[in-house]
Amino acid sequence: MKKILSVVGARPQFIKLAALSPELRRCFIEKIVHTGQHYDVDMSQSFFDELHIPKPDYNLEVGSGKPCWQMGTMMMRLEEIVEKEKPDCMVVFGDTNSTAAAAIVAARYSIRLAHVEAGLREFDKSIPEETNKLITDSLADFYFCPSETGVKNLRDMGIHNQVYNVGDVMIDLLVHYREKINKNDTLLSIYGVEKGNYVFMTCHRAANTDDSEKLREILSVLADIPLEVIFAMHPRTMRAIELSGFEKMLVLPHVKVVPPMGYLDSQTLIHHASFVLTDSGGVTKEAYFHRVQGILLDTQTEWVETIEEGWNIQCGPNRSKILKAIEHLQKPSKHSDFLGEGNASKKITEILLEGLR
């Protein structure tokens, strides 16, 4: 039986792994490597517990640090594991430092590389995630795209072989847990909000948190939102707010600041929200699945179909644009389910089973 090394390190990757791992284990020996890029309990261990992800076989415990140091440390520690396990294939997800570091190690050891969520672009190399995408897609052997846009982007790069539009593995998990999410209504009473009468908010991108003026623009919107706001606060965002002295901007009677929450709770709050305010690609997709509109705090997004269909409005960290978007929100009629029907993990496993023979 062929051996696969699945490498993860950040919250969105844990979610994708939760969907894919059970399918892989039906056909392969899977070993999981956690790089330790996200190490906070709320950002890491809670997801493994809640989503029943197998305990990682290895934890590199890299933690936070400057990007090149972090990636270099990951590569050195991952190299030892690769030499020991001798996998037939490495599977990486998305666009984090963990993704790119693992891709380079796979290339150096001539190990076939499968990129889940391949082909996405933001067309701005100043964005760390964009360079990670480019590195990984230049080295991959199997390209598992979540949408036709990913296939097109790869084609434009001259990449045609082993490119598959399988759909998004995150949709697999949403479909799997749909009933639990819908029945999790008691959570709303805990937070004191009513269905369709509150906003779910996240903000974590370095472009927003590391720039105090952009952060001020985003936080200044809170006072003028005419609904209750549940702000799920990323640890990095809280540190940035404290460093900039913006804590008072959160002290509003209709704003509830909460720590990062588990998967099911966050999905329930997205599902019943009036709209979401976010710079997270994951939340952007999840809101689309739940047919909830989103106002995007980022100036770039890979999920262009959600913009084209009207489910998301791209405002960036711009107070006036955000408030105007809130005022004119109107639910669109088109919803194409372009991210698939919840069977991406099965498709990926079948393709790998054939491709690794």
Side-chain angles (χ1 to χ4, degrees):
M1 190 178 284
K2 300 287 186 180
K3 183 185 290 185
I4 285 180
L5 205 64
S6 296
V7 182
V8 292
R11 175 175 173 157
Q13 295 170 333
F14 307 148
I15 295 170
K16 294 163 193 168
L17 179 66
L20 183 57
S21 183
E23 293 297 328
L24 290 179
R25 289 179 178 234
R26 290 191 178 100
C27 304
F28 302 99
I29 298 168
E30 185 198 29
K31 299 287 184 178
I32 296 174
V33 179
H34 184 343
T35 66
Q37 184 172 338
H38 277 178
Y39 51 89
D40 182 277
V41 172
D42 291 330
M43 302 294 288
S44 177
Q45 188 57 49
S46 63
F47 278 79
F48 279 82
D49 295 340
E50 182 182 18
L51 300 178
H52 308 292
I53 304 169
K55 182 181 177 181
D57 298 276
Y58 302 94
N59 192 323
L60 307 186
E61 298 181 340
V62 172
S64 59
K66 292 181 179 180
C68 292
W69 175 90
Q70 189 183 59
M71 288 181 66
T73 305
M74 288 176 188
M75 289 165 63
M76 288 187 292
R77 296 179 184 176
L78 188 56
E79 185 175 45
E80 296 177 6
I81 295 166
V82 165
E83 289 178 343
K84 176 185 175 183
E85 293 289 349
K86 296 179 174 56
D88 299 286
C89 179
M90 288 172 63
V91 174
V92 295
F93 304 81
D95 54 16
T96 69
N97 288 346
S98 300
T99 311
I104 294 169
V105 173
R108 287 296 185 190
Y109 280 81
S110 300
I111 298 167
R112 302 186 79 180
L113 178 69
H115 185 196
V116 176
E117 207 173 82
L120 301 183
R121 294 290 173 271
E122 295 177 84
F123 302 103
D124 182 351
K125 290 181 183 177
S126 70
I127 300 171
E129 290 83 2
E130 177 73 356
T131 55
N132 289 335
K133 292 179 177 78
L134 291 169
I135 290 168
T136 307
D137 278 343
S138 67
L139 298 173
D141 298 285
F142 299 96
Y143 299 87
F144 297 120
C145 303
S147 66
E148 194 57 37
T149 296
V151 175
K152 179 184 179 298
N153 289 337
L154 290 171
R155 191 183 304 127
D156 291 344
M157 291 176 67
I159 299 171
H160 303 276
N161 296 328
Q162 302 282 25
V163 176
Y164 308 92
N165 179 7
V166 295
D168 196 302
V169 293
M170 291 180 79
I171 301 302
D172 296 14
L173 210 60
L174 286 165
V175 169
H176 178 75
Y177 282 110
R178 188 190 315 228
E179 190 174 345
K180 282 189 176 181
I181 292 166
N182 294 346
K183 289 182 177 179
N184 196 19
D185 289 359
T186 54
L187 185 68
L188 302 186
S189 59
I190 291 172
Y191 287 112
V193 294
E194 298 176 352
K195 291 181 180 179
N197 203 31
Y198 66 91
V199 179
F200 182 74
M201 178 175 177
T202 73
C203 176
H204 78 282
R205 291 268 185 172
N208 287 329
T209 61
D210 295 353
D211 186 316
S212 61
E213 286 307 310
K214 290 180 180 178
L215 188 58
R216 185 197 295 273
E217 280 280 298
I218 293 168
L219 296 178
S220 70
V221 172
L222 291 170
D224 294 306
I225 294 179
L227 298 169
E228 299 282 318
V229 178
I230 298 176
F231 191 164
M233 186 73 72
H234 192 289
R236 176 168 62 198
T237 310
M238 182 56 77
R239 286 194 296 271
I241 289 171
E242 291 170 351
L243 189 64
S244 300
F246 294 158
E247 295 97 326
K248 288 184 179 179
M249 300 179 79
L250 300 173
V251 185
L252 297 164
H254 67 292
V255 176
K256 298 175 177 65
V257 177
V258 301
M261 57 187 66
Y263 179 77
L264 292 177
D265 285 353
S266 64
Q267 294 311 309
T268 295
L269 290 173
I270 293 169
H271 179 70
H272 293 300
S274 173
F275 63 91
V276 301
L277 196 59
T278 187
D279 60 5
S280 162
V283 175
T284 297
K285 290 186 292 181
E286 290 158 352
Y288 177 81
F289 172 84
H290 293 296
R291 299 181 184 238
V292 171
Q293 285 184 277
I295 294 173
L296 306 187
L297 304 173
D298 205 359
T299 56
Q300 305 287 337
T301 183
E302 311 98 316
W303 309 106
V304 294
E305 293 91 344
T306 69
I307 304 288
E308 292 167 354
E309 293 182 19
W311 287 96
N312 284 299
I313 302 169
Q314 196 163 35
C315 297
N318 185 304
R319 171 184 163 82
S320 61
K321 286 184 179 180
I322 295 168
L323 292 176
K324 184 178 179 180
I326 292 172
E327 184 181 352
H328 294 98
L329 271 181
Q330 187 173 0
K331 192 160 283 192
S333 57
K334 182 180 179 181
H335 192 285
S336 67
D337 288 317
F338 73 95
L339 291 169
E341 301 174 352
N343 57 0
S345 298
K346 289 182 180 178
K347 290 180 180 179
I348 289 170
T349 301
E350 289 169 3
I351 291 166
L352 287 177
L353 192 60
E354 179 65 28
L356 294 174
R357 277 189 177 140

